[in-house]
């Protein structure tokens, strides 16, 4: 865990390398898989979420955003209602599953390129991904109080 201190002048100090860093430097640490913890130098309050949200906000402003207006609107609607906790867990599990699938895809690609480029079939991986998403959605809807119906099932 990399500790970063935030000073009142809004400067960030990386305690591991003993120097001030920018918000972009923090973004690079995160992208490179380094866990960070940002604390206020005076109060020792954990500011990690605030800094990460600031990085996301800057990334959304530059280039092509991940969060479109309808998505952000729906996110805001989840705050404070009974589904907030269930949605938070669903979103976390979805991101974890997506990251795991990306790693799995990368491994299969590397194996295929190393031996036979046709070894890993895309349809096989697509089927696995679809089944995993169905299971995750059913779990979310069940925890949110719905029956968790299968969208492919005819009623």
């Amino acid at each position: 865990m990399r500790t970063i201190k935030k000073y009142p002048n809004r400067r960030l100090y990386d305690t591991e390398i003993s120097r001030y860093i920018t918000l972009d430097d923090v973004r690079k640490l995160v992208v490179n898989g380094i866990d960070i913890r940002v604390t206020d130098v005076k109060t020792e309050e954990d500011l990690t979420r605030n800094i990460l949200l600031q990085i996301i906000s800057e990334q959304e402003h530059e280039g092509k955003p991940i969060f479109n207006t309808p998505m952000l609107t729906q996110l805001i609607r989840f705050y404070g209602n009974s589904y907030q906790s269930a949605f938070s867990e669903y979103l976390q599990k979805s991101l974890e599953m997506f990251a795991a699938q990306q790693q799995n895809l990368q491994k299969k690609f590397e194996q295929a390129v190393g031996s036979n480029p046709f070894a890993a079939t895309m349809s096989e991986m697509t089927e696995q991904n679809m089944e995993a998403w169905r299971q995750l959605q059913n779990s979310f809807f069940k925890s949110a109080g719905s029956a968790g119906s299968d969208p492919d099932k005819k009623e």
Side-chain angles (χ1 to χ4, degrees):
M1 178 73 61
R2 189 93 162 242
T3 302
I4 298 168
K5 302 283 186 181
K6 184 170 187 276
Y7 283 83
N9 62 2
R10 299 176 44 137
R11 293 188 75 185
L12 300 168
Y13 186 80
D14 187 332
T15 60
E16 187 169 309
I17 60 173
S18 300
R19 71 174 179 89
Y20 287 101
I21 61 173
T22 65
L23 209 53
D24 191 53
D25 293 328
V26 175
R27 183 191 65 77
K28 289 174 185 172
L29 290 172
V30 172
V31 168
N32 290 327
I34 298 170
D35 291 328
I36 62 161
R37 183 169 190 266
V38 182
T39 58
D40 185 281
V41 73
K42 286 185 180 180
T43 65
E44 295 190 18
E45 176 187 1
D46 187 352
L47 303 174
T48 308
R49 281 187 71 253
N50 295 351
I51 295 298
L52 294 175
L53 285 168
Q54 190 175 350
I55 291 169
I56 289 171
S57 178
E58 285 186 7
Q59 292 296 300
E60 286 290 305
H61 186 66
E62 301 168 4
K64 184 171 169 101
I66 291 176
F67 297 108
N68 58 33
T69 301
M71 186 185 297
L72 289 170
T73 301
Q74 192 59 48
L75 282 172
I76 291 169
R77 289 181 181 145
F78 275 116
Y79 282 95
N81 78 27
S82 60
Y83 297 120
Q84 181 175 343
S85 177
F87 179 71
S88 178
E89 186 175 326
Y90 172 78
L91 194 55
Q92 177 67 32
K93 295 292 183 193
S94 295
L95 288 172
E96 288 171 2
M97 186 176 70
F98 183 78
Q101 289 173 345
Q102 292 299 90
Q103 288 177 342
N104 188 25
L105 179 62
Q106 181 69 30
K107 283 180 187 174
K108 286 188 177 197
F109 179 74
E110 288 170 0
Q111 289 171 351
V113 170
S115 59
N116 177 356
F118 301 106
T121 64
M122 290 304 284
S123 62
E124 211 178 291
M125 291 168 42
T126 302
E127 262 318 300
Q128 290 173 354
N129 289 348
M130 290 302 294
E131 181 56 31
W133 275 107
R134 272 191 219 103
Q135 290 174 3
L136 187 61
Q137 285 177 329
N138 286 339
S139 173
F140 170 71
F141 288 123
K142 283 179 186 174
S143 69
S146 165
S149 62
D150 185 347
D152 294 334
K153 193 177 187 181
K154 303 276 189 241
E155 294 183 16

